[in-house]
Amino acid sequence: MTKFDEATQAIKVDEGVYDVCLDPGYAIGGPLNGGYLMAVMLRAAVDASPFEHPVSTTAQFLKAPIAGPAQVRIEPLKAGRTAAFARATLVQDGVAHIEGLVTTATLNEAEPVYEAPAEDMPSRAECVKLPDPKPDSGMTLNAQMELLFDPPTIGWLKGEPTGRPESRAYFRMAEPQDPDPYVLALAVDALPPVVFSAGARGWAPTVELTWHLRALPAPGWLTLLGGGRLISDGWFDEEVEVRDSAGRLVAQSRQLARVGRG
Amino acid sequence: MTKFDEATQAIKVDEGVYDVCLDPGYAIGGPLNGGYLMAVMLRAAVDASPFEHPVSTTAQFLKAPIAGPAQVRIEPLKAGRTAAFARATLVQDGVAHIEGLVTTATLNEAEPVYEAPAEDMPSRAECVKLPDPKPDSGMTLNAQMELLFDPPTIGWLKGEPTGRPESRAYFRMAEPQDPDPYVLALAVDALPPVVFSAGARGWAPTVELTWHLRALPAPGWLTLLGGGRLISDGWFDEEVEVRDSAGRLVAQSRQLARVGRG
């Protein structure tokens, strides 16, 4: 069991009730990373389902949970032949912090009928790491994963944003681990906010994030291709398409978030 | 009040409980259109919110409701300064048929900081209508709206699919009505399934649909730009970007659906 597997464990204590312990190692400044929190919720949702994979996950981020004990409550809504539907709620101190809807199904290996070509990425050798965060920054998440960025998309770090919402990087866990649906939940929310590349700064809280698991990833590096379509009135969208090491589209996400004021 | 306004009315009968009457005029074959059903749910969600606009809507389609009386139940989860969160459930005969999460906020007129360019569309004069459905087909939805298609994207009608999941059309209500968030809920699910253009046929049930309202639409025609990224293992994604008559991005949707076997 990897540290990530352990940090996302959900222990069933009653029908539809799971104890979890939110790990301080997945923080982005103060708050915990939303992708990590979704992974925790999905452990419980899949355990409670007759199917194996979380094919659709929606999370509304009501309130930022803190590291420490919490519960995931699963309320099954319907189980059909192909898919099952459930509510999933992350509760801390008796208060709902994340409200989710999860659809589970069992994905099979299949040759795609159609697959859109991926965006171009330079080779990993041409990509660059972010500088290590300052020790007191609370960015503990960075140590859990390796990200190698397409250089122009982190030009904002040295004051050269591209002017478009975008972020592209290779991704893998720092501790060797084959990607699985829970790693993908982390991956779809692992990039710096795409608005940084359009000149924005500061904490950009996610309001809602929906992602779809489309195939089980092959071992190896993932490629995260992030972009956005509109920044307006303090709101932006961020889309991430995840490709596995074989180039297969394995996950798609879109989040609606607020532009930071920092 | 237009016929659409009437068909989507939600009458508050108790705290968080709304009576609705599902209109047989929005059927696609047997079932009612998912976009129409979301519009009905959003009438109730907005009525129960301190904010004016449904900025994020997720719907899990558990069971197809039939025309006639139903209820929408709204359970507020949290109201902050910028946004409010709620569960929304469409119930018929005591059974949940659609489970939703709705985030409301109040959008303001704003000059976009960044807006991606829209896909090209031919002029309306170069676009074409679908043939009228057969009277016994149960496709009553078609009479409620006008759709003018980018011709190659309905080539599948005469056995010439483009080989890619895509569908692009101009859209307006048949009865004169300025587009609003409820019309947009209908619009994001108004195109024929994008997989038809990739050679698939038959009823393609939506499993989950999430859409975001990004701006209030200007009066006039909307443009619906639909595509998809992956068709595999019986599943496909459908994305629709909606532009208003001024070219502004007003709505974005993604749905996960099953490929038909028909």
Side-chain angles (χ1 to χ4, degrees):
Chain A
M1 189 179 266
T2 64
K3 280 197 293 182
F4 177 72
D5 289 342
E6 208 172 320
T8 55
Q9 250 184 320
I11 295 161
K12 186 172 177 174
V13 292
D14 201 347
E15 206 52 41
V17 182
Y18 292 79
D19 277 351
V20 299
C21 188
L22 303 179
D23 189 313
Y26 294 83
I28 42 170
L32 296 169
N33 172 262
Y36 162 67
L37 296 167
M38 288 194 298
V40 172
M41 294 169 75
L42 291 176
R43 292 274 185 205
V46 170
D47 184 81
S49 164
F51 298 105
E52 288 177 50
H53 306 125
V55 295
S56 171
T57 303
T58 290
Q60 283 183 329
F61 293 86
L62 313 180
K63 191 173 186 322
I66 58 170
Q71 276 195 337
V72 179
R73 298 192 188 149
I74 304 295
E75 188 184 338
L77 296 167
K78 189 196 168 189
R81 275 184 310 156
T82 308
F85 303 90
R87 287 176 176 163
T89 311
L90 183 78
V91 178
Q92 198 168 50
D93 294 329
V95 177
H97 283 57
I98 304 179
E99 183 67 24
L101 288 176
V102 179
T103 308
T104 44
T106 298
L107 292 176
N108 306 294
E109 292 236 6
E111 197 54 43
V113 174
Y114 172 86
E115 185 170 40
E119 269 180 283
D120 285 339
M121 267 294 272
S123 70
R124 281 201 297 282
E126 295 168 273
C127 287
V128 291
K129 289 187 187 186
L130 287 178
D132 283 335
K134 296 188 189 115
D136 61 350
S137 67
M139 295 292 292
T140 58
L141 174 65
N142 296 42
Q144 313 296 340
M145 58 193 194
E146 290 183 58
L147 284 168
L148 295 172
F149 287 86
D150 185 5
T153 71
I154 52 166
W156 53 267
L157 263 180
K158 41 178 190 184
E160 294 169 12
T162 64
R164 291 184 302 275
E166 57 183 334
S167 186
R168 292 185 292 277
Y170 294 99
F171 168 103
R172 69 176 178 190
M173 298 303 285
E175 182 180 1
Q177 159 154 28
D178 287 340
D180 64 17
Y182 310 98
V183 170
L184 289 174
L186 181 67
V188 296
D189 197 34
L191 292 168
V194 292
V195 284
F196 286 5
S197 197
R201 283 298 173 94
W203 169 237
T206 303
V207 173
E208 187 272 343
L209 190 154
T210 294
W211 76 278
H212 296 116
L213 173 70
R214 303 303 309 281
L216 300 176
W221 288 85
L222 299 171
T223 308
L224 314 184
L225 302 158
R229 304 285 296 165
L230 179 67
I231 309 171
S232 183
D233 191 27
W235 298 91
F236 72 97
D237 57 296
E238 172 168 325
E239 280 87 49
V240 179
E241 179 167 297
V242 185
R243 299 276 173 157
D244 70 7
S245 61
R248 285 288 307 275
L249 196 169
V250 292
Q252 297 169 284
S253 72
R254 178 179 289 144
Q255 60 174 278
L256 184 68
R258 296 290 297 170
V259 180
R261 301 185 186 183
Chain B
M1 188 180 264
T2 64
K3 279 196 294 183
F4 177 71
D5 290 341
E6 208 172 321
T8 54
Q9 251 185 317
I11 295 161
K12 186 172 178 175
V13 292
D14 202 347
E15 208 50 42
V17 183
Y18 292 79
D19 277 351
V20 299
C21 188
L22 303 179
D23 190 315
Y26 294 83
I28 41 170
L32 295 169
N33 172 262
Y36 163 68
L37 296 167
M38 287 194 299
V40 172
M41 294 169 74
L42 291 176
R43 292 275 185 204
V46 170
D47 184 81
S49 165
F51 297 103
E52 287 177 51
H53 307 125
V55 295
S56 171
T57 303
T58 290
Q60 283 183 329
F61 293 86
L62 314 179
K63 191 174 187 318
I66 57 170
Q71 276 196 337
V72 179
R73 298 191 189 149
I74 304 295
E75 188 183 338
L77 297 167
K78 189 197 168 189
R81 274 186 310 155
T82 308
F85 303 91
R87 287 176 176 164
T89 311
L90 184 78
V91 178
Q92 197 168 51
D93 294 330
V95 177
H97 283 57
I98 303 178
E99 183 67 23
L101 287 176
V102 180
T103 308
T104 45
T106 298
L107 293 176
N108 305 294
E109 293 238 3
E111 197 55 41
V113 173
Y114 172 85
E115 185 169 39
E119 270 180 283
D120 286 338
M121 267 294 273
S123 70
R124 282 201 299 282
E126 295 167 274
C127 287
V128 292
K129 290 187 187 187
L130 288 177
D132 284 335
K134 295 189 191 116
D136 62 350
S137 66
M139 296 292 292
T140 58
L141 173 66
N142 296 42
Q144 312 296 341
M145 58 194 195
E146 290 182 60
L147 284 168
L148 296 172
F149 287 87
D150 185 5
T153 71
I154 52 166
W156 53 266
L157 264 179
K158 42 179 189 184
E160 293 169 13
T162 64
R164 291 184 302 275
E166 57 184 335
S167 186
R168 291 185 292 277
Y170 294 98
F171 168 102
R172 70 176 178 190
M173 299 302 285
E175 182 180 1
Q177 159 155 29
D178 287 340
D180 64 17
Y182 310 98
V183 170
L184 288 173
L186 181 67
V188 295
D189 197 34
L191 292 168
V194 291
V195 283
F196 286 5
S197 196
R201 284 299 173 93
W203 169 238
T206 303
V207 173
E208 187 272 345
L209 190 153
T210 294
W211 76 278
H212 296 118
L213 173 69
R214 302 304 309 280
L216 300 177
W221 287 85
L222 299 171
T223 307
L224 313 184
L225 302 158
R229 304 284 297 166
L230 180 67
I231 309 170
S232 183
D233 191 26
W235 298 91
F236 73 96
D237 57 296
E238 173 167 324
E239 280 86 49
V240 179
E241 180 168 296
V242 185
R243 300 277 174 157
D244 70 6
S245 60
R248 286 288 307 274
L249 196 168
V250 292
Q252 297 170 284
S253 72
R254 179 179 289 143
Q255 62 174 277
L256 184 68
R258 296 289 297 169
V259 180
R261 303 183 185 184

